[in-house]
Every structure is written in structure tokens, then in C-alpha cells.
Amino acid sequence: MPAVAEKTVPEDPYASLNPEQRAAVEHDIGMGNPRPLLVIAGAGSGKTSTLAHRVARLVQGGADPQRILLLTFSRRAAVEMTNRAGNVLHRVMGLRSAQAPGTLPWAGTFHSIGARLLREYAGRIGLDDSFTIHDRGDSEDLIGLVRHEIGLTQTHKRFPLKGTCLSIYSRVVNSREPLADVLQSAFPWCGEWEHELKTLFGAYVDAKQEQNVLDYDDLLLFWSEMAADPELGREIGALFDYVLVDEYQDTNRLQAAIITGMKPDGKGVMVVGDDAQSIYSFRGATVRNILDFPQQFSQPARTITLERNYRSTRPILDASNAVIAAALERHAKTLWTDKVSTAQPQLVLIPDEAEQARWVCNRILEHREAGMALTSQAVLFRAASHSAALELELMRRNVPFVKFGGLKFLEASHIKDVLAVLRFAQNPSGRMAGFRVAQLIAGIGPATATRLLDALDEAAEPVLALEAFAPPAKAGGEWQAFVALYRALRTPGLRWPADIGLVKDWYLPQLERMHDDAQVRAADVEQLAQLAGGYDSRETFLAEITLDPPEATSDRAGPPNLDEDYVILSTIHSSKGQEWKSVHVLNVVDGCIPSDMSTGSAEEIEEERRLLYVAMTRAREHLHLVVPNRFFIKQQAQMGDRHVYAARTRFISPAMLKHFEECVWLTAHQAHGKKPMPDSVRMLVRERARNAWK
């Protein structure tokens, strides 16, 4: 009798999940009416993995990937989530590596998905589908232009700057609060201009509509308006069986309204986040969205809490839990881990900022000597200016570092130039793009550019208007070259990305004329052209590059202090989502954490508490909170330069001190003071030893 082959049991693709993660992944699978689900995912609890496995489980259970909407806060996060889900599906379905399980076409940021839906529904809501999207810089310029046109720059008292005006407008739109309330809470120094600001914002909206442009806020505002309409909201909601939202604690009221408008019953809605990490109220985010989520729908939501932390040691978690436990309102959770350690977080008392810089440098170098790479160490701070003394000390000791921030790709003037040409070709009504492009031509200044745009506004056909325009004599040859370029860009049937190739060929000679470092900038233009090849059309490229731009550019503000290994310096806001073996937090004192600019209300103070919590939970093995006693204040005209004294942050109460190792650091001069040289010295042997290598 032949032997019976033993049947192999397929490996469980969800075996790596803990019980709470698995419960979230399996939630209402196979149910006809899946309830809304809130996953409270503590720091380091495997949130991304849970969300990716949920997507895979839905597809495995028969869900159509085309009908899953995945909303994240960066394109990178969406791609990572999709790839992770794909890997799980490979294991579940036993696919060969060459077989793709299918992508998620509706995965992206709120703004990118909003832009896509607005393009598809443009005819239904009175939009021209050739609209272009202004980035933050273009929006500021337009509101500045409108501000000037209606005479608000000629006032006897200083009117708010264009950037401030845009911030106020954006806060009003995203928070859905009246202008008066926003001014009182966030911009009290602008309160006297309420009437004028209302006039400005009305004129700004009119200008956008005349020019067929949208800003970032419009993408959410128009989407929420569609979602609120009984017919359109139902229609858009029916496009998706499941709606999954990452980092829900960072959403604003407009984004929450979009979700509830599309899915009023919450069917198939899953949001993941952590109320303890809600730190972006300055962008309009509100912690109320995640706190109130369980009661937002016609059927109650299920809540699952992920409390197991895979990142930090137990002493670090104990200290972090103690800080956040004092919060006035929160979803109850206590993070735990099986990573034991005898090393408590350090609370280090330091005389002043200079000694703080020296102490942090010493510890960084000690960790390095013990085998910890510099890239595994980070120094976090409340405001970018707090690291100034440390940066000087690191440079003095030749310790390489990178500070999060710097010039973003779309902020580089040469990149803005190239994109402006493409936007002007896509939307001839866009005056900000046209104004910038016209002045790239030698011999054309602001007055001629304005005259050109006025002529285009009155013309039915932009190309004919350009050909008929009479430029200054000195612009002759350059002008004809631009007209030829514009004619080519407006030619129907031009296959993308030939457009950007034409623009690049025209622009590089202008680059040589305008910039001394043209070679460096040309490399960025080439990079932009390469990026463009990954998109299927000009309008898609312009939308996506504006909504989720690349971070880096060669056009940096100063030479980077880089090596093959380097320390990370970062604001606490920029550190969210990151982790390091060792974390130093600077200036853990009242006035810095909480910032003295953010103590006007209980809500602001609570957000500052969450900010400290986020900083502490970035650490895996070593956490150092540094408390300088004195700060040297310069340029006080009346009082003179002097020291002010600071107290330990109010967020670490005396009862919490048991979770920390308290250290006192003597000054470097006291700790390492030189003893006087005795008179009996015959040879300076140390000098001779040093001189042998000179």
C-alpha cells in the first residue's frame, strides 16, 4: 500500500500579531454591516503592522481592493502600508513572488484623494477640471497680492503679513470656527482687523475662482461640502466598502466631517491613532476627533486598545505612563513591555545652557565609545532655536550631525520656476504662475508681466494672445523662444512627460543667466524631470508633487555637516513616528516645555503635556531629560543682559520622581579643573608626546 502524503498545514500569516492586534484585524470580517472601529494604538505598539494586516485580511475575506479607501498623512506611509499588506497577501494566498496581489488605487493623503475626487466630480460641483493647485508659497503670494489690491497695505497701522493672513484663513476653514473665535484664541494681536480680514478672505476666494486655482484648504473644504450633500455624499460613500484612516488624532474637524459625511452609519470605517500623541493643534488638528469618535455615528463604535509596546524598556514606559496619566481627558491605557532594564530614565540638573550642551556632547560620545552608532542617538527640543548652543559644541568637537528641517524641494526657486511654467501651460488663468514665468524672460519686469496677464484674461485663446503681444524690444529673441515653448505645451495630444523635457530645455539657459550655482540647481531640475516620468499625465504630476513633495534638494541653506555617521537633532514635532536607542530632551523646564507661548488655556497646556510624552516615547533604551537651571537673556535694553532662573517642568511632579534617576552635573570647570603645575617639573613629557605627532 503506497504511503499517504502528509498534508501540510499552511502557516498562519497573522501569527506574529498579539491578541489585541488580531482582534482589530479580524473585526467583523464576513459581517454584512461591519461596525465602526477605533484602535487606540499606543506609542511603539505596532500600529502600522496592524493596519497593513487589516487591509490584507479584508482582501482575503473577499473585499475588492478597488473599494478600499486608505487615508494616511504622507504618500510614503500609504506606499509602505500597501507594500506590507501585499506581502501578507502573498503569504496568505501562496502567490509566487512575481505575482502581484493587487494594489490599492485609493490609498493616499486626504489632500491627494480630495484632489482626485474633485477632478472627477468637477462638472457636478461647478469647477473647471483644468484647475491647478497652489502650494503654500503661491497661496501666500496670491493673498499678499489681493491684500495690496484692496488697499490693506496702505493703512496707518501695520496690517498682518501675508503669511499670517493665510494662517488665519486656513485655521478658520479647517477648524470650522468663526473668524472672531480663531482670532481670539490663536491670533489675539490681529483681533482689531476682524472686519478687514473678512473682506480680504472674500477677495482672496474670488481671486482663486477667477484664476481657476485651488489651495490646500479648498481640497478638503470642497470634499467636505460634497460629503455633506445628501445625494453626492451618498454617491461618494458608495464608492468604498471600507474606509481606513491612519493617525486619526492628527485630523481636523473638516477631515472628520468628510468621514462622517461619507459614512454616516460608520459602516466599514476604521480609524487608528493615539490621543496621547495629538500635538498638531497649530495645524488645526483637534484631539476631540479621536476622543469623541465612538459616538460620531448612528451605530456605536467598537474600541480596541493596543497597549503592548515593542520599542522601549520598562523603566522608560513607567515614566512615560506616569506623565500622561496626569492628563485631564484621555482614552485609558497603560503601555507595557517585556523588555526589562535596570537603567532608569535620567533627570539631569544642569547649571545652564552652555553646560547642557557640554553634558549632552559627553554622553553622545560615551555612547559611541560603547558601540552605539551616532545615528541611533537623537537630541529633541521644543523649538528649533533651543539647539543653538548644542550645534556650536558639536561643531567644536567635530561631531557630525543633521538637523531636521532646511530648505524643502518645492521652496527652491529653480524648482518653483519649472513648476510655474507647467502650471501656466495647464491653466492660463493662473496669474501667480504666469507672473513668475513672464519675469523669467530677460527684458520683462513686473509692469510688462502684469500687462501680459491682463491681455490673456481678455483673450479667448491664450496662444494667440501671446503671439499678438508686443514685448519690450530687449526681450525680442527670448520672447519668441518662450512663445514657441508655450505653443508646444498647449498643443493637444502632447504625450507626457515630453512637456517637462521641453520646459527643461528652455529653462536651463535661463538658469545659467540667473544663478551662479547653475550646475547644482540643474541637477535638481534633472531630478524633477526623472520624477515626472513616474506619473501618467501633467495634471496628475502637478497635483501630486504639490500635495506630497520630495523633501530634499541640493539647494541647501549652507553646507550640510554630514559624515557616514551623524547625530540626529530634531524638534519634538518632527520626531513623531521615529525612534532611537538613546534620546536626549533639552530644556525640560517651564517656559520651554510647556512653551510660555502655549499656556493660555487648559487645552494648550494639555497638548504640551502630550508633546513631552511623545518625546519620551521615542527612546528605546536610554532616555535623558535635561533640566538647565539658568538661561542667559541678551539684549534687554532696560535691564541689561542677565540670567533668568527656570524650574523643572510642571509635567514631572514630585510624586513622579521615583521613576527617574536624578543626576546633578557640576560645571565642566569644576569637574575637570586643572591642578597647578609644581615648580619641580624638569620636562614637559606630555608636550613632548604631543609634539612627536606634529
Side-chain angles (χ1 to χ4, degrees):
M1 184 176 174
V4 179
E6 195 174 314
K7 190 175 179 181
T8 57
V9 179
E11 180 188 351
D12 181 5
Y14 309 105
S16 62
L17 302 176
N18 64 42
E20 291 76 22
Q21 290 173 328
R22 189 143 192 167
V25 168
E26 296 284 352
H27 167 73
D28 283 2
I29 292 291
M31 302 282 287
N33 187 28
R35 293 166 293 166
L37 173 64
L38 168 64
V39 179
I40 301 296
S45 61
K47 163 180 71 69
T48 304
S49 176
T50 303
L51 202 50
H53 279 81
R54 171 68 173 175
V55 172
R57 185 68 183 88
L58 289 173
V59 176
Q60 184 194 9
D64 183 356
Q66 308 276 337
R67 296 181 58 81
I68 297 176
L69 175 60
L70 176 61
L71 294 165
T72 62
F73 274 79
S74 72
R75 182 205 292 246
R76 190 165 53 251
V79 170
E80 181 188 355
M81 211 88 68
T82 304
N83 289 341
R84 285 202 188 190
N87 292 335
V88 176
L89 283 171
H90 266 104
R91 296 198 302 274
V92 170
M93 300 176 174
L95 299 177
R96 295 191 300 273
S97 57
Q99 291 178 284
T103 59
L104 297 178
W106 289 97
T109 65
F110 270 95
H111 290 91
S112 65
I113 298 295
R116 182 173 166 186
L117 286 170
L118 291 184
R119 196 84 64 185
E120 290 190 13
Y121 284 84
R124 304 270 300 275
I125 58 175
L127 274 180
D128 185 335
D129 62 4
S130 66
F131 66 80
T132 49
I133 302 168
H134 272 181
D135 62 16
R136 172 85 187 187
D138 288 337
S139 298
E140 282 189 11
D141 290 343
L142 181 57
I143 208 167
L145 182 66
V146 173
R147 172 174 164 265
H148 179 72
E149 286 177 349
I150 63 177
L152 291 176
T153 54
Q154 306 299 318
T155 51
H156 67 284
K157 293 175 68 177
R158 186 182 70 85
F159 193 74
L161 297 172
K162 61 183 183 181
T164 305
C165 292
L166 184 64
S167 295
I168 296 170
Y169 171 82
S170 186
R171 179 69 72 94
V172 170
V173 171
N174 287 287
S175 67
R176 311 184 92 184
E177 293 177 357
L179 174 60
D181 293 354
V182 168
L183 290 175
Q184 185 178 356
S185 63
F187 304 90
W189 63 93
C190 303
E192 63 180 302
W193 299 105
E194 181 185 347
H195 177 71
E196 290 82 356
L197 284 167
K198 192 171 287 186
T199 304
L200 170 63
F201 297 155
Y204 173 60
V205 171
D206 288 342
K208 286 190 294 181
Q209 293 182 2
E210 287 168 8
Q211 299 178 31
N212 194 30
V213 297
L214 304 181
D215 60 20
Y216 287 154
D217 302 315
D218 290 331
L219 300 174
L220 300 183
L221 179 63
F222 291 6
W223 185 5
S224 76
E225 292 292 335
M226 288 197 300
D229 180 82
E231 183 182 334
L232 280 177
R234 195 163 46 248
E235 188 175 328
I236 295 171
L239 294 174
F240 311 108
D241 296 327
Y242 297 94
V243 178
L244 290 78
V245 188
D246 192 17
E247 303 286 8
Y248 194 68
Q249 78 280 349
D250 295 332
T251 54
N252 57 43
R253 285 195 173 92
L254 211 49
Q255 290 163 323
I258 288 169
I259 303 299
T260 53
M262 290 197 312
K263 298 288 183 181
D265 59 354
K267 180 181 177 182
V269 175
M270 172 185 178
V271 303
V272 182
D274 183 7
D275 56 289
Q277 298 185 66
S278 178
I279 58 175
Y280 292 114
S281 67
F282 65 93
R283 296 180 186 168
T286 173
V287 71
R288 296 298 336 162
N289 284 350
I290 194 166
L291 291 174
D292 300 338
F293 180 85
Q295 294 82 41
Q296 290 295 302
F297 303 96
S298 57
Q299 57 177 329
R302 180 186 180 188
T303 301
I304 296 174
T305 305
L306 307 184
E307 295 182 304
R308 181 175 182 179
N309 178 284
Y310 295 91
R311 176 185 298 157
S312 307
T313 62
R314 194 175 297 166
I316 291 174
L317 285 184
D318 289 343
S320 304
N321 286 334
V323 167
I324 202 62
L328 296 179
E329 188 177 10
R330 66 190 185 101
H331 285 290
K333 65 176 181 301
T334 302
L335 297 183
W336 64 275
T337 184
D338 51 14
K339 295 174 69 175
V340 295
S341 174
T342 56
Q344 283 187 300
Q346 286 188 324
L347 194 63
V348 188
L349 306 179
I350 299 275
D352 54 37
E353 286 183 288
E355 293 302 330
Q356 174 177 245
R358 282 192 274 271
W359 186 88
V360 170
C361 272
N362 288 347
R363 291 300 170 273
I364 288 170
L365 294 173
E366 283 177 15
H367 284 319
R368 182 179 177 273
E369 289 300 313
M372 188 186 298
L374 292 178
T375 50
S376 298
Q377 305 183 59
V379 183
L380 308 182
F381 30 85
R382 175 63 177 84
S385 58
H386 292 177
S387 66
L390 177 62
E391 290 176 47
L392 291 173
E393 186 69 14
L394 289 169
M395 286 191 286
R396 189 179 71 80
R397 298 202 196 185
N398 201 28
V399 178
F401 65 89
V402 169
K403 186 174 180 179
F404 284 178
L407 192 63
K408 301 292 190 289
F409 193 81
L410 289 190
E411 293 170 0
S413 61
H414 49 290
I415 297 299
K416 289 180 76 74
D417 289 345
V418 174
L419 293 176
V421 178
L422 290 169
R423 287 194 184 107
F424 190 42
Q426 181 74 12
N427 176 20
S429 302
R431 288 184 73 92
M432 298 313 301
F435 194 69
R436 185 182 192 101
V437 171
Q439 292 179 83
L440 294 176
I441 304 164
I444 292 184
T448 305
T450 303
R451 190 160 56 86
L452 169 65
L453 294 175
D454 290 342
L456 283 173
D457 286 344
E458 295 170 4
E461 177 47 57
V463 175
L464 296 177
L466 237 64
E467 291 173 342
F469 185 75
K474 54 188 176 181
E478 293 284 349
W479 173 254
Q480 292 306 320
F482 173 71
V483 172
L485 168 70
Y486 199 79
R487 188 188 305 112
L489 293 175
R490 293 284 297 175
T491 302
L494 183 65
R495 292 182 63 89
W496 178 261
D499 317 36
I500 199 164
L502 293 170
V503 175
K504 185 184 73 173
D505 293 343
W506 175 81
Y507 180 68
L508 288 179
Q510 318 301 327
L511 198 61
E512 295 277 352
R513 174 175 56 82
M514 295 185 296
H515 299 285
D516 293 333
D517 58 347
Q519 190 174 358
V520 174
R521 295 172 185 260
D524 283 341
V525 176
E526 291 288 352
Q527 184 189 355
L528 187 70
Q530 289 176 7
L531 284 171
Y535 298 84
D536 54 9
S537 70
R538 182 165 67 198
E539 71 178 28
T540 305
F541 169 70
L542 288 173
E544 295 292 341
I545 200 88
T546 305
L547 297 172
D548 195 19
E551 292 293 320
T553 168
S554 312
D555 187 22
R556 288 266 174 196
N561 192 6
L562 281 175
D563 199 356
E564 70 277 0
D565 195 18
Y566 45 85
V567 178
I568 305 296
L569 308 185
S570 172
T571 61
I572 300 173
H573 285 100
S574 296
S575 73
K576 189 145 176 298
Q578 308 292 315
E579 59 181 63
W580 297 273
K581 281 187 178 180
S582 173
V583 170
H584 294 81
V585 186
L586 303 184
N587 296 352
V588 187
V589 298
D590 258 37
C592 295
I593 305 177
S595 166
D596 51 10
M597 302 290 287
S598 301
T599 54
S601 66
E603 290 79 12
E604 288 179 324
I605 293 171
E606 287 302 298
E607 178 155 330
E608 293 290 306
R609 185 193 311 275
R610 296 193 294 269
L611 201 60
L612 177 60
Y613 174 78
V614 167
M616 293 172 67
T617 53
R618 300 310 95 195
R620 295 208 300 263
E621 298 174 8
H622 303 277
L623 175 62
H624 315 276
L625 306 185
V626 192
V627 185
N629 184 233
R630 296 184 302 173
F631 291 83
F632 190 69
I633 308 298
K634 296 182 179 180
Q635 298 175 348
Q636 293 190 353
Q638 296 179 346
M639 306 293 293
D641 296 349
R642 64 190 180 100
H643 281 96
V644 295
Y645 291 83
R648 183 184 71 234
T649 177
R650 69 188 72 180
F651 302 136
I652 300 177
S653 66
M656 298 177 194
L657 293 178
K658 63 184 181 184
H659 298 294
F660 296 90
E661 175 193 350
E662 289 189 86
C663 309
V664 179
W665 169 253
L666 299 174
T667 68
H669 300 297
Q670 290 174 317
H672 306 289
K674 292 183 178 179
K675 296 178 180 177
M677 191 72 69
D679 296 334
S680 58
V681 170
R682 182 174 177 89
M683 290 190 303
L684 295 173
V685 290
R686 293 182 300 175
E687 286 293 325
R688 294 179 68 170
R690 280 201 299 265
N691 290 336
W693 298 97
K694 293 180 179 177

